[in-house]
């Protein structure tokens, strides 16, 4: 039975007639008493309404909601709309209203276009797009507090973001930015919304978002030099690649520094033997700490072997440290690359590989300036001392 | 036998009944329509509910609980004195009180009720509400969504044939938005959305924060008594700010009296983020209903918190018109619940009206999907999308994902997120299937969501025709049968104050609360008054009690007058 027959109306009736028939039939198919009949009726009603509205869709769209339409000059001065031309006073009030209405719509469209451009510009700027604050500034514009408008911009931006994620030559958006965008535009939050991208890309994005959230959660909150020293000399836990490389730099740096100091101070009989002793102890602590941490990471057996010949005492420390058999890739401290990056590579860029170039790139991207200062400070001191010597 | 309607609110609760072709709100023992949803246990282990308990929030915060509706559906417990209470039990105590009021008013025992819940309450929260009703000895067949109830109260008296309205219900603890259409005698809900953790109490809390800042107090350093005292003062001031632009606030903290003037502008500023949060659910509902902001004949505000001028003007700005609230916003939900009770009974006067509601959340299964050459679990596959008219029944086919798979296990989830882990898991479906290659065996899963909010999940193995059924009823999860029986027994052991005492107790509570808030001479004076009244109550003579009560009432009224509001 067709939906028209079920409703008892002529095929291709208008929405009003369908509705009236539905309301009439509902009396006998009360949802409480006859749920089965009701469901059948409802199905017919929805099918009929869908057909009727498809035919009615030639009628112009309802106007764009004009609420929250505030000036947008602040973000894109070039797109400032032209002031509307003066209306001749003699004209009919009717057409005046109409024109004002049209001008308003025009202005609104221009603003929306400017905003969309601003989003795309930001996405294409490799420097600025890495900073969450830039995105935050755009997203907190008053226009975007309107859900309808925000969803439209989200739909506009999403294909470009997907394209960017799949581009193997670009440095990916940081996970924090992606999470911010997703939270603002509800990309993966609402399965009722259809976005203008293939379903499979959406699914990949969903998986990527999970990894991005994980990445945010497991990221150490501060990666300045204080965090670095704490992580270097912590008696437990494991090492990430960054910590390891920094540690290497520090060990070599301190060793060189102490050697130069020893030479210059003409030790041990002339001045302050306790200073020398202290320096030796410090060196020993740094080296031992570093070795222990390397050992905990369970990745550099060869290096440990070399060091262990030099420093047999470290076995004492190994005996005290935690066993490394519970090494697992989920543990953030054993990761050398974040889950977000791995997911991004395997979901969008054709597989994740441990290429040296990628590793180096990820590493350099992660360096914080304050940490660089600490390391370069040690080395500059070395050079200065060398030159003076 | 009458079926009552109950509005179990975060701040206040009401009970109503359909009589003489209209809804009547039943007054409580004190003759008031609103019963504060506050429970307190006194020194003798007796339970107090309502206004008497509310005053004890200031004097005995350790023995008093309020706003427990917000904890519904969680396992969190509250201590009242020595005993722990769950949110269900506390709600049950309030329901018991309301039931007693209704029985007194109607003169017949009441066993059946319709309870209104926020439309955006999830499955767990609804279950908890039903459990509370069972603990209170009420049979509840139907939970009605609060905005739908409000629409009923409005829709019934609406004469015109074709109207569309949007109802924004900002109560004490929850925000609900519903879009309805009235067409002939059909009242159809088009879309529902909301925020379960936004309400009038949040505005009071925001005001408390701003007020503390103004006085230069650390909010964390306040004791429970002090905070309760401040909170009460803020609540009074919030109500006063609905009519005036400035309010004089007097609080006594740490033995000192502080005076401050709080203006409406400061209040608006303190609540700006809360106001912003009203916008999203409204827009979501409008988008879901496929309408524009000008498509509505009326914007209706419901709930006590919509008395605040800033909420009215904010909603007014969104829709570009002045919102309506013809019926008292505090009473309208309870009135609607009574209408629903009458509809359910097929009361003659209402026979022709048909109400269709929608399910507020999407329902579906957790499934694996193929992405490229990989298989990834955890996707949410929707069977019944949100805002589907209920009752509804949908079916979908799912395939096995591994060779030699012996059973299909899928979590049943409720929510809007694309990944199942971010939604609420409400059950699990396990179907044994014959072994075979991956994708060879299939299971047809049917979701049936009936008008009472019960979800039935049916699975049929395509090759064998074997069936499995899982009913996720509103009565299983969270609190199982044995705990329910246990707490039912414990509830029976709790003693209530006799009904005749309620006026005395409420007055006593008020006097004690004023004593706690007063300083110096006033305090001594109040102490004398309280002692006098206690003596009168101890005499057990009704006559003496009544005179003493009237006397005390007058004196307290005079005291209050000297201070403005108190």
């Amino acid at each position: 039975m067709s939906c028209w027959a079920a409703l008892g109306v002529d095929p291709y009736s208008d929405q009003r007639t369908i509705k009236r028939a539905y309301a009439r039939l509902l009396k006998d198919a009360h949802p409480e008493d006859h749920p089965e009949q009701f469901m059948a009726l409802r199905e017919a009603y929805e099918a009929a309404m869908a057909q009727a509205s498809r035919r009615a869709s030639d009628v112009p769209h309802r106007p764009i909601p004009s609420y929250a339409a505030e000036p947008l000059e602040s973000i894109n001065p070039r797109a400032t709309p032209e002031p509307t031309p003066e209306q001749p006073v003699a004209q009919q009030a009717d057409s005046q209203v109409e024109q004002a209405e049209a001008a308003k719509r025009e202005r609104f469209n221009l603003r929306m276009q400017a905003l969309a451009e601003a989003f795309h510009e930001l996405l294409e700027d490799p420097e600025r797009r890495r900073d969450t604050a830039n995105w935050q500034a755009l997203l907190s514009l008053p226009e975007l507090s309107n859900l309808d408008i925000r969803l439209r911009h989200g739909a506009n931006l999403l294909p470009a973001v997907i394209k960017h994620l799949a581009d193997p030559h670009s440095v990916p958006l940081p996970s924090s930015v992606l999470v911010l965008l997703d939270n603002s535009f509800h990309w993966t939050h609402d399965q009722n919304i259809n976005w203008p991208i293939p379903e499979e890309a959406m699914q990949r994005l969903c998986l990527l978002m999970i990894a991005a959230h994980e990445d945010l959660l497991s990221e150490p909150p501060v990666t300045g030099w204080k965090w670095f020293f704490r992580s270097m000399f912590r008696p437990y836990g494991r090492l990430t690649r960054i910590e390891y490389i920094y540690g290497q730099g520090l060990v070599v740096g301190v060793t060189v520094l102490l050697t130069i100091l020893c030479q210059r101070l003409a030790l041990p009989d002339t001045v302050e033997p306790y200073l020398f002793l202290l320096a030796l102890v410090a060196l020993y602590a740094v080296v031992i700490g570093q070795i222990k941490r390397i050992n905990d990471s369970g990745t550099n057996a060869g290096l440990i072997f070399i060091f262990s010949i030099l420093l047999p005492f470290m076995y004492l420390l190994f005996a005290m440290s935690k066993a490394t058999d519970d090494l697992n890739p989920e543990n953030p401290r054993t990761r050398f690359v974040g889950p977000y990056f791995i997911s991004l590579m395997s979901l969008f860029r054709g597989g994740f590989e441990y290429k040296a170039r990628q590793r180096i790139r990820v590493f350099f991207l992660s360096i914080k300036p304050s940490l660089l200062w600490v390391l370069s400070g040690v080395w500059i001191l070395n050079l200065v001392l060398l030159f003076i010597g | 036998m009458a079926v009552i309607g109950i509005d179990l609110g975060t701040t206040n609760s009401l009970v109503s009944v359909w009589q003489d072709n209209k809804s009547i709100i039943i007054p409580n023992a004190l003759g008031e329509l609103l019963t504060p949803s506050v429970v307190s246990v006194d020194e003798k282990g007796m339970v107090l509910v309502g206004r008497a308990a509310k005053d004890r929030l200031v004097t005995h915060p350790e023995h008093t609980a309020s706003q427990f509706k917000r904890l519904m559906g969680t396992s969190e417990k509250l201590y009242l004195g020595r005993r722990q209470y769950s949110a269900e039990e506390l709600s049950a105590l309030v329901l018991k009180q309301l039931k007693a009021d209704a029985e007194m008013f109607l003169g017949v025992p009441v066993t059946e009720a319709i309870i209104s819940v926020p439309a955006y309450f999830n499955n767990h929260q609804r279950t908890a509400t039903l459990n509370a009703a069972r603990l209170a000895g009420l049979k509840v067949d139907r939970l009605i969504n609060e905005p739908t109830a409000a629409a009923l109260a409005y829709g019934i008296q609406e004469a015109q044939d074709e109207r569309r309205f949007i109802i924004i219900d900002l109560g004490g603890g929850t925000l609900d938005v519903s879009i309805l259409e009235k067409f002939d005698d059909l009242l159809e809900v088009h879309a529902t959305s909301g925020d379960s953790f936004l309400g009038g109490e949040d505005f009071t809390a925001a005001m408390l924060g701003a007020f503390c800042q103004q006085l230069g107090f650390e909010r964390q350093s306040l004791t429970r008594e002090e905070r309760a005292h401040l909170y009460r003062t803020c609540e009074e001031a919030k109500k006063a700010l609905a009519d005036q632009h400035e309010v004089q606030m007097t609080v006594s903290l740490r033995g000192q009296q502080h005076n401050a003037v709080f203006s409406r502008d400061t209040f608006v500023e303190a609540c700006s983020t809360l106001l912003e949060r009203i916008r999203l659910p409204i827009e979501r509902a409008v988008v879901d209903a496929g309408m524009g902001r000008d498509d509505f004949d009326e914007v209706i505000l419901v709930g006590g918190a919509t008395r605040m001028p800033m909420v009215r003007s904010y909603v007014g700005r969104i829709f570009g018109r002045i919102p309506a609230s013809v019926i008292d916003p505090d009473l309208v939900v309870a009135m609607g619940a009574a209408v629903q009770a009458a509809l359910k009974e097929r009361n003659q006067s209402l026979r022709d009206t048909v109400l269709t509601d929608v399910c507020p959340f999407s329902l579906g299964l957790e499934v694996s999907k193929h992405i490229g050459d990989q298989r990834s679990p955890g996707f949410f596959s929707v069977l019944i999308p949100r805002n589907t008219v209920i009752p509804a029944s949908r079916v979908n086919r799912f395939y096995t994902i591994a060779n030699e798979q012996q059973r299909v296990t899928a979590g049943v989830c409720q929510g809007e997120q694309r990944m199942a882990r971010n939604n609420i898991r409400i059950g699990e479906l396990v179907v044994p299937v014959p072994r075979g290659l991956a994708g060879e065996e299939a299971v047809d899963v049917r979701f049936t969501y009936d008008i009472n909010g019960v979800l039935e999940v049916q699975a049929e193995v395509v090759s064998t025709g074997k069936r499995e059924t899982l009913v996720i009823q509103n009565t299983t999860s969270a609190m199982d049968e044995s705990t329910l029986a246990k707490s039912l027994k414990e509830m029976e052991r709790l003693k209530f104050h006799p009904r005749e005492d309620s006026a005395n107790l409420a007055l006593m509570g008020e006097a004690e609360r004023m004593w706690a808030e007063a300083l110096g001479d006033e305090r001594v004076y109040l102490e004398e008054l309280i002692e006098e009244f206690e003596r009168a109550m101890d005499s057990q003579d009704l006559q003496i009690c009544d005179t003493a009560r009237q006397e005390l009432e007058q004196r307290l009224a005079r005291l209050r007058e000297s201070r403005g509001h108190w």
Side-chain angles (χ1 to χ4, degrees), chain A residues 112-172:
Chain A
M112 288 300 105
Q113 213 178 336
L115 194 50
E117 270 169 28
F119 270 117
H120 282 283
E121 250 168 51
L122 184 53
L123 183 66
E124 261 138 50
D125 188 335
E127 277 310 307
R128 293 199 309 134
R129 71 173 173 221
R130 298 190 51 79
D131 193 351
T132 336
N134 291 333
W135 290 99
Q136 194 74 62
L138 260 187
L139 287 167
S140 56
L141 286 171
E143 285 89 344
L144 289 174
S145 60
N146 178 291
L147 182 70
D148 201 11
I149 293 174
R150 194 162 65 230
L151 291 184
R152 272 195 244 174
H153 281 286
N156 198 342
L157 189 63
L158 185 56
V161 168
I162 296 286
K163 209 174 127 216
H164 157 77
L165 289 175
D167 177 11
H169 301 297
S170 66
V171 179

Side-chain angles (χ1 to χ4, degrees), chain B residues 295-367:
Chain B
D295 292 347
F296 301 106
D297 294 306
E298 211 155 357
V299 179
I300 296 173
L301 290 180
V302 175
T306 58
R307 287 224 170 83
M308 282 185 280
M310 65 165 133
V311 174
R312 306 190 76 84
S313 65
Y314 189 77
V315 172
R317 264 215 309 281
I318 293 179
F319 287 99
R321 76 178 77 183
I322 298 165
S325 49
V326 184
I327 310 177
D328 185 337
D330 278 323
L331 310 182
V332 57
V333 170
M335 287 166 75
V339 175
Q340 173 66 45
L343 276 180
K344 187 158 190 308
E345 286 196 312
R346 294 296 146 75
N347 195 303
Q348 285 299 309
S349 53
L350 293 169
R351 196 188 39 206
D352 288 343
T353 310
V354 180
L355 168 75
T356 62
D357 211 335
V358 296
C359 66
F361 297 95
S362 303
L363 293 158
L365 282 182
E366 184 177 349
V367 298

Side-chain angles (χ1 to χ4, degrees), chain A residues 258-259 261-263 265 267-268 271-283:
Chain A
L258 285 175
T259 319
L261 274 179
C262 292
Q263 286 172 352
L265 291 176
L267 290 166
V271 255
E272 293 160 29
Y274 61 88
L275 190 75
F276 179 65
L277 201 66
L278 207 68
L280 268 187
V281 169
L283 175 65

Side-chain angles (χ1 to χ4, degrees), chain A residues 194-248:
Chain A
N194 287 319
W195 300 102
I197 57 168
E199 181 58 27
E200 195 181 315
M202 193 67 216
Q203 288 167 2
R204 284 173 195 266
L205 184 68
C206 284
L207 292 176
L208 183 65
M209 286 316 301
I210 290 177
H213 277 285
E214 253 170 43
D215 204 50
L216 280 190
L217 287 179
S218 61
E219 196 176 18
V222 228
T223 42
W225 59 273
K226 271 187 196 154
W227 159 81
F228 167 64
F229 278 108
R230 222 178 300 129
S231 70
M232 257 350 346
F233 297 109
R234 198 159 28 195
Y236 53 86
R238 302 206 166 85
L239 203 62
T240 65
R241 177 174 288 272
I242 296 158
E243 289 166 352
Y244 166 71
I245 293 171
Y246 280 138
Q248 286 300 311

Side-chain angles (χ1 to χ4, degrees), chain B residues 50 88 175 222 231 246 308 318 399 457:
Chain B
E88 282 107 317
L175 167 69
L222 299 172
Y231 195 88
E246 271 182 2
M308 282 185 280
I318 293 179
Y399 297 89
V457 182

Side-chain angles (χ1 to χ4, degrees), chain A residues 327-348:
Chain A
L327 203 67
N328 87 66
E330 299 275 299
N331 185 340
R333 303 221 69 84
T334 54
R335 274 192 290 105
F336 276 23
V337 181
Y340 170 67
F341 189 74
I342 297 175
S343 284
L344 178 69
M345 295 311 283
S346 51
L347 285 167
F348 285 97

